[in-house]
Amino acid sequence: MKQSYVTHLEAALDGTRYPARQVQTVHEGRPLWVRYDLPAVKAAVSRDDLAHRPHDLWRYRELLPVDDDAAITSLGESMTPLLACPRLGAAVGVPGLLIKDESSLPTGSFKARGMAMAVSMARQFGLTRLAIPTAGNAGGALAAYAARAGMEAFVFMPDDTPVVNRAEAALFGARAFLVDGLINDCGAIVREGAGPMGWFDVSTLKEPYRLEGKKTMGLELAEQLDWTLPDAILYPTGGGTGLVGMWKAFDELEALGWLEDTRRPRMYACQSTGCDPLPRAWAAGERFGQPVEAPATAASGLRVPVACGDFMVLDAVAASGGAALAAPDSEIAGMMALAAESEGISLCPEAAIALAVLRRAVSEGTIEAHERVVLFNTGAAQKYLELIDHPLPRFDKDRMDWDRIRSRGASKD
Amino acid sequence: MKQSYVTHLEAALDGTRYPARQVQTVHEGRPLWVRYDLPAVKAAVSRDDLAHRPHDLWRYRELLPVDDDAAITSLGESMTPLLACPRLGAAVGVPGLLIKDESSLPTGSFKARGMAMAVSMARQFGLTRLAIPTAGNAGGALAAYAARAGMEAFVFMPDDTPVVNRAEAALFGARAFLVDGLINDCGAIVREGAGPMGWFDVSTLKEPYRLEGKKTMGLELAEQLDWTLPDAILYPTGGGTGLVGMWKAFDELEALGWLEDTRRPRMYACQSTGCDPLPRAWAAGERFGQPVEAPATAASGLRVPVACGDFMVLDAVAASGGAALAAPDSEIAGMMALAAESEGISLCPEAAIALAVLRRAVSEGTIEAHERVVLFNTGAAQKYLELIDHPLPRFDKDRMDWDRIRSRGASKD
């Protein structure tokens, strides 16, 4: 393509229009939507046209913002598996549970979707120096995509960010820094540095195109379910771009007439009780969250005390008939072990929180046992080494002491 | 399917036939080939039939050994990306370099292919307790697939196995043990334990079906290259199942008449000079390797002092016009950094060794600059945390000291 179907950008707060094809950020500190000429998309492409395209997120090319194909920056963002989980589902009360496993994306997390799009757009605009505050995975993904595009990346992360995230940012040659503070403190650094350092801020929802990348989670899900949608989606929500992106995807698919059944899923935004601005705002009937004081959760991706797109998340949750709910960190280890041992699925702690929310929602009747429920695993457990208890017993090759193995010796003993 | 196209198994050493549809292991300690009724496969399926199938390794269903669909144990083995790497290619002298990036498979390595098949076959045979010696990634993959199938897994690994591998075996609930020794010592434990513990040994090439899973690397590669093959393949070789499996895949594709061009790639088996039984045997013109004394390499997957399928690797290498070559461990860090910084690709140390071999082969004229070369990245760098130098500098949010960032502070400074 030489020009995308983007018509303009639009402030989520009040609809103010901004021109496409020039660098945009926010409107009054709040995000912009990317709008497309959907009738033209509908005339240009059909669902059936997708059958012969590569199975990666670029198959939805007409619904993506990149104008020039030459700007596309890809590390192979293959469609992620949608896995039936009968044993795990039965354990939490919904045998029809499906997990959309984002851990197979480049750098092992869903952040690849947004960064593939943000870096491609930055390349199109001729930007060469990008900066980001991160809880971990977004920094690793930016570092990888910036390297792929030949750009400089500056990454700022809290000093207790998981070690694998720190390592991957370094590996990809990003200029990465630890900050004594939270992701919002890192965000302030990136904001202030824009002038002196001349970088472009690709913070989630302050850059309009990461949302378009995350949107592909919803497009893929619909296609994988033969153009229907599930009854409920459980989504671990930090900044919320993914949930908002999926809801936008469903709007666009409906406008295109691609859905066999336009019934929407109930969207559940899941957070830790240790950092729960969205459930608090939801419970209070507010559209905007208040910053959580002293947020604390081991699910590093959920440690976002307040998000600039919170009202977009809450709007989608409300429109869907869902809810913003929290579960405590004390559930993380058990839920990670349950998913790993019952299904072989490597759940990140953020998804473990969502699984705990699901179990409670089922027990309370908010979600019913017969429903088709999709839970998003936004990254691989292996990226959270600190959370996996892994002292392994030794086996003495000279003694071949089988009794010892029989009596104990399991890694979980 | 209710029955696969498998006709029999056949000793790689001397062609002795073994019946399919019962548990088989080795012949005189050496591997068995799985043989198919290829004319019947050819009559049953065409290349074009694949277009509408899911993009995972099960799309090659008729060339896989599982009889009963119900036995299939999958975690979503999506086709892995084949990435053009112009900058990295130019740096090593072959601008047309492609990397087949296996890090997107479940548990982040190519081992998922073999384990998906071995565990599916074990399930078909009613086996419920599996055991494995591992350099790391195979143990993690077995643990995940065994959990998915509801089986017990016993994993034995050297006590200096990368920490992420140890953690994932524990996470998936395997009974995992550290052994003061090498993978061959772990193999001896698994062999001896078969009686007292009643487990089935899924060691590479001692179980006939892991090879069939690895074969899909060759099938995918051919399909991704529009049913042609590259000029050369660089493959990091420990046990060698993948290289042998790809060569078998090419034989089968040729027999099916699916290749547009039957010219074969030259196969390069790549090892570390710290553990190089294949290059040694190759240089000496031998078909069987001698155990390397005191093997030492940080590329844990290559630390296999001798492999029971070594003659199969060397036969394929010889038939292809390739070679078995080694590069020193001192190249690993530089090659990992080069791939990461120039292309955003997360290369495991084994693939870094292969990249070093490639660079030398190009400089020596063994591989020419204009050739189409495919290098296999068999796993994610993130799984080898010990090999990534990642002390990150701090940035003081109260000082906003941009001069410090400008003058140094890069994670690579």
Side-chain angles (χ1 to χ4, degrees):
Chain A
M1 286 209 298
K2 283 291 168 199
Q3 184 156 326
S4 73
Y5 291 87
V6 175
T7 53
H8 63 285
L9 280 64
E10 182 187 305
L13 208 54
D14 63 11
T16 303
R17 289 172 70 108
Y18 286 81
R21 301 185 179 83
Q22 51 185 260
V23 175
Q24 302 290 5
T25 57
V26 291
H27 172 79
E28 295 179 10
R30 299 288 183 170
L32 303 178
W33 296 113
V34 178
R35 296 301 186 195
Y36 297 81
D37 181 350
L38 292 174
V41 171
K42 187 171 182 170
V45 61
S46 74
R47 282 178 353 190
D48 295 341
D49 292 333
L50 301 181
H52 293 277
R53 295 187 179 181
H55 278 232
D56 61 32
L57 62 76
W58 303 98
R59 69 198 271 100
Y60 308 111
R61 185 72 182 85
E62 290 83 358
L63 289 170
L64 299 177
V66 184
D67 287 310
D68 185 354
D69 283 343
I72 289 177
T73 303
S74 172
L75 287 164
E77 302 73 30
S78 301
M79 288 179 84
T80 60
L82 184 63
L83 300 169
C85 296
R87 267 192 295 269
L88 177 61
V92 298
V94 277
L97 177 64
L98 297 165
I99 291 185
K100 180 107 171 120
D101 191 356
E102 299 280 296
S103 66
S104 63
L105 287 162
T107 68
S109 95
F110 71 143
K111 295 289 183 185
R113 294 183 189 271
M115 286 306 162
M117 213 57 58
V119 170
S120 296
M121 291 303 290
R123 195 172 182 177
Q124 176 171 308
F125 290 129
L127 302 169
T128 58
R129 178 179 279 189
L130 308 179
I132 196 170
T134 180
N137 283 324
L142 174 64
Y145 282 92
R148 184 74 166 156
M151 294 179 189
E152 275 186 291
F154 288 79
V155 175
F156 296 86
M157 57 181 91
D159 54 11
D160 56 354
T161 297
V163 63
V164 176
N165 292 135
R166 282 182 259 163
E168 69 189 349
L171 175 71
F172 293 119
R175 299 186 68 177
F177 300 87
L178 299 178
V179 174
D180 175 20
L182 296 165
I183 189 168
N184 296 39
D185 299 302
C186 298
I189 293 169
V190 170
R191 237 175 2 258
E192 290 214 23
M197 294 299 297
W199 57 46
F200 182 70
D201 180 352
V202 292
S203 298
T204 189
L205 289 174
K206 293 182 181 166
E207 185 285 339
Y209 304 103
R210 285 175 63 180
L211 176 67
E212 296 302 296
K214 290 281 188 72
K215 180 178 85 176
T216 61
M217 288 191 289
L219 301 174
E220 280 185 19
L221 181 61
E223 187 175 359
Q224 288 172 316
L225 294 174
D226 296 324
W227 306 106
T228 67
L229 299 173
D231 296 308
I233 290 177
L234 281 286
Y235 190 81
T237 307
T241 322
L243 190 148
V244 170
M246 280 195 276
W247 196 251
K248 182 172 189 281
F250 303 152
D251 284 342
E252 292 175 359
L253 289 173
E254 188 169 343
L256 292 174
W258 285 14
L259 293 175
E260 288 295 316
D261 182 337
T262 56
R263 275 176 298 181
R264 294 287 178 95
R266 304 194 304 284
M267 307 295 282
Y268 294 93
C270 305
Q271 297 194 317
S272 164
T273 50
C275 183
D276 57 350
L278 292 169
R280 286 189 201 190
W282 177 256
E286 303 287 345
R287 194 175 172 225
F288 296 94
Q290 296 301 319
V292 169
E293 302 281 329
T297 169
S300 46
L302 302 183
R303 207 167 46 177
V304 180
V306 67
C308 72
D310 51 7
F311 64 107
M312 299 156 82
V313 177
L314 293 165
D315 287 354
V317 164
S320 77
L325 301 170
D329 262 35
S330 57
E331 298 259 26
I332 289 175
M335 290 289 130
M336 285 177 73
L338 180 63
E341 294 178 16
S342 67
E343 300 287 0
I345 291 176
S346 163
L347 225 56
C348 62
E350 296 83 3
I353 286 284
L355 185 60
V357 166
L358 172 60
R359 185 167 65 174
R360 206 189 63 186
V362 173
S363 75
E364 291 176 355
T366 313
I367 291 174
E368 294 181 53
H370 65 86
E371 293 195 292
R372 185 162 69 164
V373 175
V374 174
L375 184 143
F376 275 76
N377 180 32
T378 48
Q382 285 90 332
K383 297 194 78 177
Y384 301 80
L385 194 58
E386 295 86 345
L387 300 184
I388 306 174
D389 187 29
H390 60 274
L392 301 184
R394 293 183 166 271
F395 186 78
D396 184 342
K397 67 179 189 293
D398 301 319
R399 286 187 55 206
M400 294 287 178
D401 185 358
W402 308 117
D403 287 338
R404 182 163 174 275
I405 288 197
R406 283 197 205 89
S407 62
R408 64 167 296 281
S411 55
K412 293 288 173 183
D413 280 5
Chain B
M1 286 210 298
K2 282 293 169 200
Q3 184 156 325
S4 73
Y5 291 87
V6 175
T7 53
H8 64 284
L9 279 64
E10 182 187 305
L13 208 53
D14 63 11
T16 303
R17 288 171 72 106
Y18 286 81
R21 301 184 178 82
Q22 51 185 262
V23 175
Q24 302 290 4
T25 57
V26 290
H27 171 79
E28 295 178 8
R30 298 288 183 168
L32 302 179
W33 296 114
V34 178
R35 296 301 186 196
Y36 297 80
D37 181 351
L38 293 174
V41 170
K42 187 171 181 170
V45 62
S46 74
R47 282 178 353 189
D48 294 342
D49 292 334
L50 301 182
H52 293 278
R53 295 187 178 180
H55 277 230
D56 61 31
L57 62 77
W58 303 98
R59 68 198 271 99
Y60 308 111
R61 186 72 182 84
E62 290 82 357
L63 289 171
L64 299 177
V66 184
D67 287 310
D68 186 354
D69 283 343
I72 289 177
T73 303
S74 172
L75 287 165
E77 302 73 29
S78 301
M79 288 179 85
T80 59
L82 183 65
L83 300 170
C85 296
R87 267 192 295 270
L88 177 60
V92 298
V94 277
L97 176 65
L98 297 166
I99 291 185
K100 180 108 172 115
D101 191 356
E102 298 281 296
S103 67
S104 62
L105 288 162
T107 68
S109 95
F110 72 143
K111 295 290 183 184
R113 295 184 189 270
M115 287 306 162
M117 213 56 59
V119 170
S120 295
M121 291 303 290
R123 194 172 182 177
Q124 177 171 305
F125 290 130
L127 302 169
T128 57
R129 178 179 280 190
L130 308 178
I132 196 170
T134 181
N137 283 324
L142 174 64
Y145 283 92
R148 184 75 166 154
M151 294 179 189
E152 275 186 291
F154 288 79
V155 175
F156 296 86
M157 57 182 89
D159 54 11
D160 56 354
T161 297
V163 63
V164 176
N165 292 135
R166 283 183 259 164
E168 70 189 347
L171 174 72
F172 294 120
R175 298 186 67 179
F177 300 87
L178 299 178
V179 174
D180 175 19
L182 295 165
I183 190 169
N184 296 38
D185 300 302
C186 298
I189 293 169
V190 169
R191 237 173 4 257
E192 289 212 24
M197 293 300 296
W199 59 46
F200 182 71
D201 180 353
V202 292
S203 298
T204 188
L205 289 175
K206 294 183 178 163
E207 185 283 339
Y209 303 103
R210 285 174 65 180
L211 176 67
E212 296 302 296
K214 290 281 189 72
K215 181 178 84 178
T216 60
M217 288 191 289
L219 301 174
E220 280 185 20
L221 181 61
E223 188 175 358
Q224 288 172 316
L225 293 174
D226 296 323
W227 306 105
T228 67
L229 299 173
D231 296 309
I233 290 178
L234 281 286
Y235 190 80
T237 308
T241 321
L243 189 149
V244 171
M246 280 196 276
W247 195 251
K248 183 171 188 281
F250 303 153
D251 285 342
E252 292 175 359
L253 289 173
E254 188 170 342
L256 291 174
W258 285 14
L259 292 174
E260 288 295 316
D261 182 337
T262 57
R263 275 177 297 180
R264 294 288 179 94
R266 304 193 305 284
M267 306 294 284
Y268 293 93
C270 305
Q271 297 194 317
S272 164
T273 51
C275 182
D276 57 351
L278 293 169
R280 286 188 200 190
W282 177 257
E286 304 286 345
R287 194 175 172 224
F288 297 94
Q290 296 300 319
V292 168
E293 303 280 329
T297 169
S300 47
L302 302 184
R303 208 167 45 177
V304 180
V306 67
C308 73
D310 51 7
F311 65 107
M312 298 156 83
V313 177
L314 293 166
D315 287 353
V317 164
S320 77
L325 300 171
D329 262 35
S330 57
E331 298 260 26
I332 289 175
M335 290 290 129
M336 286 177 72
L338 180 63
E341 294 178 17
S342 67
E343 300 287 0
I345 291 176
S346 163
L347 224 56
C348 62
E350 296 83 2
I353 286 284
L355 185 60
V357 166
L358 172 60
R359 185 167 65 173
R360 207 189 62 183
V362 173
S363 75
E364 292 176 352
T366 313
I367 291 174
E368 293 180 53
H370 64 85
E371 294 196 290
R372 186 162 67 165
V373 174
V374 174
L375 183 143
F376 275 76
N377 180 32
T378 48
Q382 286 90 333
K383 298 193 76 176
Y384 301 80
L385 193 58
E386 295 86 344
L387 300 184
I388 306 174
D389 187 30
H390 60 274
L392 300 184
R394 293 184 167 272
F395 186 78
D396 185 342
K397 67 180 190 293
D398 300 319
R399 286 189 55 207
M400 296 284 180
D401 184 358
W402 308 116
D403 287 336
R404 181 163 175 278
I405 288 197
R406 282 197 206 90
S407 62
R408 63 168 296 282
S411 54
K412 294 286 172 182
D413 279 5

